[in-house]
Amino acid sequence: MKKNKTPWDFLEEFRGKDFLGEWPTVLEMFLITAKRHPHNTCLTDFEGPDGSKNTLNYTQAKEKIEELGAWLVQNGVKKGDRIAVSGKNSPEWAVAFIASFFAGAIVCPIDYALRENEIENLLKTAKPTFLFIDEEKFTYFSEETFDFKTFSLSPKHADRYVYNLRGDKNLLAPEIRPTQDDIAVILFTSGTTGTPKGAMLTHKNLTSDTYIAQTRLDVFSTDVFYAILPIHHAYTMQAVFLEAISVGAEVVFGKSMAVSRLMKELKEGHITMLLGVPLLFNKLLAGIMKGIKAKGPVVNGAIHALMGISYSIKKIFHKNPGKLLFKAVLKQANIYSIRIAICGGGPLASSVFKAYNEMGIDFVQGYGLTETSPIITLNPIDHFKIESVGQYFFPYMEMKIINEGDDGIGEIAVKGPMVFKGYYNMEEETKKVFTDDGFFKTGDLGKLDKEGYLILSGRAKNMIVTEGGKNVYPEEIENAFQLYTDIEQITVQGYIENKDTKSEAIEALVYVADDVYNRLGLEREGNVENEQVKNIIQLIISTVNKTLQPYARITKVTYLKEPLEMTTTKKVKRLYKTNN
């Protein structure tokens, strides 16, 4: 049997009939999958009675999507109109998203964690015809006077519930559907106050990235993806939702990262593809290691020795014995069914990456930005490099390093079918992020090795320059603390050490974990800078400092009363001011 040259070779059977462009649109991709896998489970949540499972197969999901699409057309939605969707992860969110394309509309996914006035600011820019929103914010947006009409993603508002909006399917004319070069989504990367910045991604951007990513990672119609991170974010939307519907896999929608709920959904959902951010994987691993340590020094030592042997076998023979060796450990953590774990949204400590691989879970790191749909590198399972966020997708895209320093580090720039069209109504901002030869400047720093693997250093705007002219990347230092559970949050920045020379040194902003205060029998209030607390943290910082170059060592620690604000992908918003 002839092996497919690319993961999208099967599309030739549908070209000219089910889609006309080089790539199908998101809608066409879903309809092709519904034709190929009509009885596969498509959308699942645990919102049934007593937390039971609700599922829709591809045929049932298609029915709901067509009904809502027809209703949108019937209610005056025209090609190019915007439809905003904001809510917790749910099948209803997914149905509203795809149905919008039947009317030729552009979807504006909005972070549900934002305050009402922040969402309002984004909506003023998006100017949607309709807003689909979840139950907690439904009343505010339905009772205020807006230029859009508000409908519900929750059955608690039955008269405006998304599943109850059904139109005449005869209105679904092919000519009103989008083409591959039409804008599919506007993703707001900032601007909850002031002027919102919305990245415009076309259907071609999204679907090309969906299929091209599969050149580095096999996904199957039998896979079960877990959408635990917010689906409005490009990472979850693409790497979970679109990847799943491109092959006929199942998406399980998680609504909360509460440990008990997470464990239940991992176990009962039979998850095979777990996508998360460093924080999620660090917490899972910390729990596993705590359980192993509790079994005593002999068992702890034996398991760590086995982990080392397992890793060596995997690297040398490309066989994965860990699943067999650590079956009991993985089952207890409810992650035995996981085939692949993927980390994005920030660099993961090498030690964490290695630990999962040692225990038999194929662990993949990736990299991308909203503006690149977002995936542009993935670490192949059979040839991964622990220090890298993966190999870029040549020959389907280009990547280069511009303004490269002596250390090979410079700004990462990319060109390819997944690169966005520009920022919504921001011509000047768009021009600034492209080179004269059409490469998108990511704003991230890194270097490429000879095989096209990318090693990240950090954000260009976060870089610290020391008195000796050395470049220090805060993210690299922060990553070294990922397995120290006594530190809940650490953020590194430069501070002016010498006001005369204006030379910068390294400061760490530390939010101490609750567990430290509990162990010491202290309340956080009034004890943020308690000497015992500081001794525990200083020991960790001294240990990490020994692993760093002298110019990158932390010389000042500021203890935080409150944690710094985080994004939905659990990265600190670097909006703080330096206390120089």
Side-chain angles (χ1 to χ4, degrees):
M1 189 168 126
K2 182 180 166 231
K3 188 175 181 345
N4 281 354
K5 290 181 196 154
T6 68
W8 57 90
D9 274 7
F10 74 89
L11 286 174
E12 291 310 314
E13 182 189 335
F14 302 92
R15 193 180 296 279
K17 295 173 288 189
D18 295 89
F19 74 103
L20 300 174
E22 179 191 0
W23 298 95
T25 64
V26 173
L27 175 60
E28 288 164 343
M29 181 172 78
F30 173 78
L31 293 174
I32 288 167
T33 297
K35 195 179 270 192
R36 295 175 76 211
H37 304 285
H39 305 300
N40 280 20
T41 302
C42 179
L43 309 173
T44 295
D45 69 9
F46 285 85
E47 294 299 306
D50 300 318
S52 61
K53 209 176 188 186
N54 284 327
T55 63
L56 293 173
N57 66 24
Y58 274 86
T59 301
Q60 292 165 329
K62 177 175 173 271
E63 180 76 10
K64 291 192 181 299
I65 287 163
E66 285 176 338
E67 287 173 346
L68 179 60
W71 182 89
L72 291 168
V73 174
Q74 203 167 301
N75 283 270
V77 176
K78 303 281 190 299
K79 193 167 184 177
D81 283 354
R82 270 83 56 215
I83 289 174
V85 186
S86 185
K88 298 183 287 289
N89 293 0
S90 68
E92 289 90 341
W93 193 104
V95 166
F97 181 89
I98 300 177
S100 302
F101 301 137
F102 263 120
I106 296 164
V107 183
C108 301
I110 290 175
D111 185 353
Y112 193 60
L114 298 174
R115 300 177 190 94
E116 280 91 344
N117 65 310
E118 293 173 327
I119 291 176
E120 214 176 312
N121 191 51
L122 298 179
L123 293 172
K124 277 178 189 166
T125 295
K127 295 185 171 61
T129 309
F130 291 110
L131 166 67
F132 291 99
I133 198 156
D134 233 323
E135 60 188 90
E136 296 87 353
K137 295 185 171 76
F138 175 81
T139 304
Y140 177 87
F141 285 99
S142 58
E143 290 183 354
E144 295 284 323
T145 305
F146 294 109
D147 293 334
F148 52 82
K149 290 176 184 171
T150 303
F151 292 87
S152 176
L153 294 174
S154 163
K156 290 184 180 172
H157 302 282
D159 58 326
R160 297 204 199 175
Y161 178 43
V162 66
Y163 285 178
N164 294 336
L165 308 175
R166 301 185 184 101
D168 179 1
K169 289 193 209 168
N170 292 319
L171 295 170
L172 297 175
E175 59 269 18
I176 58 177
R177 292 185 190 178
T179 64
Q180 65 167 8
D181 294 315
D182 287 330
I183 298 161
V185 296
I186 299 172
L187 296 177
F188 290 103
T189 58
S190 63
T192 50
T193 57
T195 307
K197 192 176 184 183
M200 299 184 290
L201 297 174
T202 65
H203 284 268
K204 179 180 177 177
N205 290 154
L206 292 172
T207 56
S208 67
D209 198 47
T210 300
Y211 291 116
I212 288 170
Q214 292 171 31
T215 62
R216 298 283 182 271
L217 179 74
D218 290 329
V219 292
F220 305 108
S221 62
T222 50
D223 275 318
V224 181
F225 286 76
Y226 189 31
I228 184 61
L229 299 174
I231 196 169
H232 78 274
H233 193 278
Y235 174 40
T236 310
M237 185 191 300
Q238 171 64 275
V240 178
F241 179 46
L242 296 183
E243 288 295 343
I245 67 169
S246 76
V247 297
E250 178 183 356
V251 183
V252 172
F253 293 93
K255 296 196 179 189
S256 162
M257 278 177 71
V259 175
S260 58
R261 178 149 185 164
L262 185 74
M263 290 295 114
K264 170 188 163 71
E265 290 173 352
L266 281 171
K267 185 179 182 180
E268 294 180 23
H270 305 291
I271 307 300
T272 67
M273 304 290 285
L274 177 62
L275 288 87
V277 290
L279 182 72
L280 173 66
F281 290 115
N282 291 339
K283 280 193 168 182
L284 270 176
L285 185 62
I288 292 168
M289 291 306 176
K290 193 174 180 181
I292 291 171
K293 202 171 181 181
K295 293 181 187 295
V298 176
V299 174
N300 185 27
I303 286 177
H304 276 83
L306 276 175
M307 285 169 72
I309 294 164
S310 169
Y311 186 75
S312 298
I313 292 168
K314 186 172 184 184
K315 283 296 280 181
I316 298 164
F317 301 107
H318 302 294
K319 300 288 181 192
N320 195 347
K323 270 277 179 87
L324 191 63
L325 292 172
F326 303 108
K327 185 174 181 178
V329 172
L330 298 174
K331 279 203 160 185
Q332 194 172 353
N334 293 328
I335 57 174
Y336 180 71
S337 64
I338 291 169
R339 188 170 71 82
I340 295 173
I342 301 177
C343 186
L348 187 75
S350 297
S351 53
V352 179
F353 183 88
K354 187 177 179 185
Y356 279 102
N357 274 291
E358 286 173 336
M359 287 188 290
I361 289 176
D362 286 327
F363 204 94
V364 174
Q365 277 185 286
Y367 163 73
L369 301 93
T370 301
E371 292 88 343
T372 59
S373 301
I375 314 168
I376 44 177
T377 74
L378 273 177
N379 240 324
I381 287 164
D382 55 353
H383 186 38
F384 64 87
K385 296 188 181 181
I386 219 162
E387 70 281 2
S388 168
V389 289
Q391 193 178 37
Y392 77 89
F393 305 130
F394 58 81
Y396 308 107
M397 62 168 285
E398 297 173 72
M399 181 179 283
K400 66 180 181 179
I401 305 297
I402 55 177
N403 302 321
E404 199 175 320
D406 295 340
D407 53 5
I409 295 171
E411 186 175 4
I412 304 153
V414 295
K415 186 193 275 190
M418 66 288 290
V419 175
F420 79 142
K421 205 166 187 170
Y423 296 113
Y424 186 55
N425 291 339
M426 286 186 165
E427 209 173 309
E428 285 306 309
E429 288 285 334
T430 301
K431 277 182 190 168
K432 282 181 200 168
V433 295
F434 283 95
T435 63
D436 293 340
D437 57 350
F439 277 77
F440 168 64
K441 296 185 287 183
T442 65
D444 286 329
L445 298 169
K447 60 182 177 182
L448 285 168
D449 73 8
K450 289 174 185 175
E451 292 183 282
Y453 284 77
L454 177 66
I455 295 93
L456 277 186
S457 298
R459 292 291 292 170
K461 63 184 178 187
N462 299 336
M463 189 174 74
I464 300 161
V465 182
T466 67
E467 186 178 18
K470 296 288 188 183
N471 294 342
V472 177
Y473 307 103
E475 294 88 347
E476 290 184 351
I477 300 172
E478 290 159 6
N479 291 342
F481 288 88
Q482 285 189 14
L483 283 183
Y484 290 96
T485 54
D486 283 345
I487 295 178
E488 178 76 18
Q489 196 183 76
I490 184 162
T491 305
V492 170
Q493 63 181 14
Y495 74 98
I496 303 299
E497 188 180 37
N498 185 321
K499 288 186 179 173
D500 296 330
T501 62
K502 291 195 160 62
S503 63
E504 282 190 292
I506 313 302
E507 176 184 14
L509 308 179
V510 173
Y511 184 71
V512 180
D514 290 340
D515 190 47
V516 173
Y517 294 98
N518 293 340
R519 287 202 314 268
L520 296 172
L522 298 170
E523 293 288 326
R524 186 185 293 275
E525 184 86 27
N527 286 298
V528 169
E529 297 203 35
N530 176 281
E531 281 306 313
Q532 289 175 282
V533 172
K534 285 167 77 174
N535 288 341
I536 289 168
I537 302 306
Q538 197 53 57
L539 182 62
I540 294 170
I541 286 171
S542 300
T543 304
V544 171
N545 266 346
K546 287 172 189 168
T547 69
L548 302 172
Q549 293 293 336
Y551 59 82
R553 288 174 186 164
I554 294 163
T555 55
K556 179 182 176 185
V557 180
T558 298
Y559 292 87
L560 302 172
K561 292 180 182 175
E562 301 286 339
L564 292 167
E565 193 180 351
M566 299 183 92
T567 67
T568 47
T569 52
K570 307 300 176 191
K571 289 188 285 192
V572 166
K573 289 186 178 180
R574 294 181 186 268
L575 304 174
Y576 47 81
K577 294 255 188 345
T578 318
N579 300 314
N580 294 326

